């Protein structure tokens, strides 16, 4: 079973934001950066919830056999 959790990637997003948007710096575009980070965290949370849901479904199948 996979470990549930994630590590903080807030500062790593800065480089990815600049690469993805083609902008030069974050400070001049802080509103857009905040939206970008929020979307990335929402995506991360969605992936985590899907993983948990899949693990629970597999657990249910095992427990149903017992």
């Amino acid at each position: 079973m996979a470990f549930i959790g994630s590590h903080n990637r807030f500062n790593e997003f800065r480089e990815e934001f600049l690469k993805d948007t083609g902008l030069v710096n974050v400070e001049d575009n802080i509103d857009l950066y905040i939206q970008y980070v929020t979307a990335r965290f929402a995506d991360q949370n969605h992936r985590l919830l899907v993983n948990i849901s899949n693990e629970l479904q597999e657990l249910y199948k095992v427990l149903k056999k017992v």
Side-chain angles (χ1 to χ4, degrees):
M1 181 179 282
F3 176 74
I4 298 174
S6 63
H7 62 281
N8 186 346
R9 294 190 56 217
F10 185 81
N11 289 325
E12 292 175 33
F13 288 156
R14 179 181 297 266
E15 295 170 13
E16 294 173 11
F17 170 76
L18 295 174
K19 181 179 138 198
D20 290 347
T21 61
L23 297 172
V24 178
N25 63 39
V26 171
E27 289 74 20
D28 292 341
N29 302 287
I30 194 69
D31 293 340
L32 185 58
Y33 181 62
I34 291 169
Q35 291 176 7
Y36 179 86
V37 170
T38 301
R40 293 292 300 268
F41 282 142
D43 179 61
Q44 181 178 358
N45 288 336
H46 173 73
R47 290 172 190 250
L48 183 61
L49 288 174
V50 167
N51 186 37
I52 291 171
S53 177
N54 290 339
E55 294 286 338
L56 286 173
Q57 288 175 3
E58 292 300 318
L59 180 60
Y60 174 76
K61 290 176 187 176
V62 170
L63 291 175
K64 194 169 142 180
K65 291 179 183 179
V66 172

